[in-house]
Amino acid sequence: MKRYIINILLFFAIVAVIDFGVGFAGDYLTNHVKSGDTKRTNDLVMNDTHDVLILGSSRARHHYDTPFLSDTLGLDVYNAGYDGNGVVLAYGILEMILDRYQPKMIIYDVEPAFDINVYAEDNNHKRYIARLKPYYRNKAVGDIIEDVSTDEWYKVHSGMMRYNMSLLTMLTEGMRNSKDGNNGYSPLQGIYDREPAKADNKTEIDTFKLKYIDKLIALAKTRQIPIVMIASPKYGQANSTDIEPVKNLCAERYVTFLDYYADAEFQSHKEWFKEPMHLNAEGARAFSKNIIMCLQIKYTVE
């Protein structure tokens, strides 16, 4: 019996050592990778200081030509859009950034799937905290993780649970040394040559996401940072019904909202789209030119 208990204790001790080792390796790689989104995120929340931050999904990442915006505004504009993510990740990133410095303006690109509606691949919103897990020790980030899932809050204290399969990705990123020459902007090439499938208008509002849209706005206002909410173009849209919940919230909070979601000019230029959800590089430049006047006024006035 005594030997059995010793073996059990030994087993748990080995697991604890391995778990600590995985957590240590993951934390080290997070801070030392040379390329990829891990470096991009870590630099953004730990080191960089930018005048203007663009937050949102892949539509933010591909639609805002930051070199052009920087040159035109005379400000350092950084594109912090993340593929497959939305306001939950953006809010966590902004909280960490504001621990270090205060940007002069925030732009948030609204995408219904990640910011407004229930989405089939949400996994109970857990997909949105994956990039926040390495920073769980930050109080605001820890609160977000716990808000998404109490189970995830406990799991994130385990190195193996925290990094899971991401260690392999980070090892790959650590072997490459690349520079981001576009300040986070990722231009797309190619032209859409078909017609979009008919949209399914059956959507359900996700109050959890809208809560974080409201929190993002409140955080910017509390810190007296001008914030502009934008719905960038989507090809084949007949109206802006999909983004009305955020549009209405912005009206209530007296926040500037630019609605290009179903904009007639962009609907008439299929050649500006890579596919219905995303503008190509030419479309991104046209869109960036469209919004520049409002951004200049917003920054100057406030």
Side-chain angles (χ1 to χ4, degrees), residues 116-184:
I116 299 172
N117 299 326
V118 173
Y119 181 47
E121 297 180 28
D122 268 353
N123 188 22
N124 294 317
H125 306 113
K126 292 178 184 177
R127 67 178 291 156
Y128 306 118
I129 59 173
R131 291 206 169 275
L132 294 177
K133 287 180 179 180
Y135 310 100
Y136 76 99
R137 296 179 184 89
N138 180 286
K139 174 70 166 59
V141 172
D143 288 346
I144 295 168
I145 294 171
E146 188 172 15
D147 197 21
V148 167
S149 167
T150 304
D151 289 346
E152 290 299 312
W153 165 240
Y154 287 115
K155 288 178 183 178
V156 82
H157 289 78
S158 158
M160 289 186 287
M161 292 286 190
R162 185 162 69 252
Y163 289 105
N164 201 358
M165 298 300 293
S166 63
L167 277 182
L168 184 60
T169 301
M170 288 194 288
L171 283 169
T172 304
E173 291 172 333
M175 291 186 289
R176 300 193 305 263
N177 196 347
S178 63
K179 274 196 164 186
D180 176 11
N182 286 323
N183 263 25

Side-chain angles (χ1 to χ4, degrees), residues 51-289:
D51 296 323
V52 180
L53 293 174
I54 299 168
L55 304 171
S57 67
S58 61
R59 285 164 51 76
R61 191 170 191 171
H62 302 308
H63 291 186
Y64 297 80
D65 186 334
T66 46
F68 168 76
L69 291 171
S70 294
D71 289 344
T72 309
L73 290 172
L75 299 167
D76 174 19
V77 183
Y78 188 83
N79 193 318
Y82 283 83
D83 294 357
N85 277 279
V87 68
V88 176
L89 173 61
Y91 180 79
I93 285 175
L94 184 59
E95 281 275 20
M96 287 187 282
I97 286 170
L98 292 180
D99 284 343
R100 295 188 301 107
Y101 85 102
Q102 184 153 310
K104 296 175 180 177
M105 184 192 298
I106 295 165
I107 298 167
Y108 189 82
D109 185 272
V110 179
E111 160 51 38
F114 305 132
D115 300 319
I116 299 172
N117 299 326
V118 173
Y119 181 47
E121 297 180 28
D122 268 353
N123 188 22
N124 294 317
H125 306 113
K126 292 178 184 177
R127 67 178 291 156
Y128 306 118
I129 59 173
R131 291 206 169 275
L132 294 177
K133 287 180 179 180
Y135 310 100
Y136 76 99
R137 296 179 184 89
N138 180 286
K139 174 70 166 59
V141 172
D143 288 346
I144 295 168
I145 294 171
E146 188 172 15
D147 197 21
V148 167
S149 167
T150 304
D151 289 346
E152 290 299 312
W153 165 240
Y154 287 115
K155 288 178 183 178
V156 82
H157 289 78
S158 158
M160 289 186 287
M161 292 286 190
R162 185 162 69 252
Y163 289 105
N164 201 358
M165 298 300 293
S166 63
L167 277 182
L168 184 60
T169 301
M170 288 194 288
L171 283 169
T172 304
E173 291 172 333
M175 291 186 289
R176 300 193 305 263
N177 196 347
S178 63
K179 274 196 164 186
D180 176 11
N182 286 323
N183 263 25
Y185 167 54
S186 179
L188 295 176
Q189 304 302 323
I191 296 174
Y192 187 60
D193 59 1
R194 297 184 299 278
E195 287 302 320
K198 193 172 182 179
D200 180 3
N201 293 322
K202 294 178 181 178
T203 57
E204 180 183 348
I205 300 298
D206 189 327
T207 56
F208 186 85
K209 292 172 184 173
L210 286 181
K211 177 178 77 173
Y212 274 87
I213 290 285
D214 204 13
K215 284 168 70 73
L216 184 77
I217 291 171
L219 181 59
K221 280 183 166 288
T222 298
R223 298 295 289 265
Q224 298 183 321
I225 305 170
I227 182 168
V228 181
M229 308 292 282
I230 305 178
S232 55
K234 178 181 176 183
Y235 186 69
Q237 283 299 124
N239 56 58
S240 296
T241 304
D242 290 351
I243 48 93
E244 278 185 0
V246 171
K247 199 172 183 178
N248 294 337
L249 182 61
C250 287
E252 292 172 12
R253 302 290 184 263
Y254 301 101
V255 168
T256 300
F257 188 96
L258 303 183
D259 181 6
Y260 284 86
Y261 198 61
D263 184 79
E265 180 185 6
F266 286 86
Q267 297 305 314
S268 66
H269 284 279
K270 189 198 293 188
E271 73 276 10
W272 286 351
F273 289 82
K274 164 73 174 177
E275 31 81 8
M277 288 291 292
H278 297 108
L279 296 165
N280 58 27
E282 184 182 0
R285 176 59 64 91
F287 174 61
S288 297
K289 286 179 179 177

Side-chain angles (χ1 to χ4, degrees), residues 35-52:
S35 66
D37 273 351
T38 302
K39 176 175 173 54
R40 181 170 173 255
T41 305
N42 202 58
D43 284 347
L44 185 63
V45 303
M46 302 297 290
N47 304 311
D48 294 350
T49 56
H50 302 286
D51 296 323
V52 180

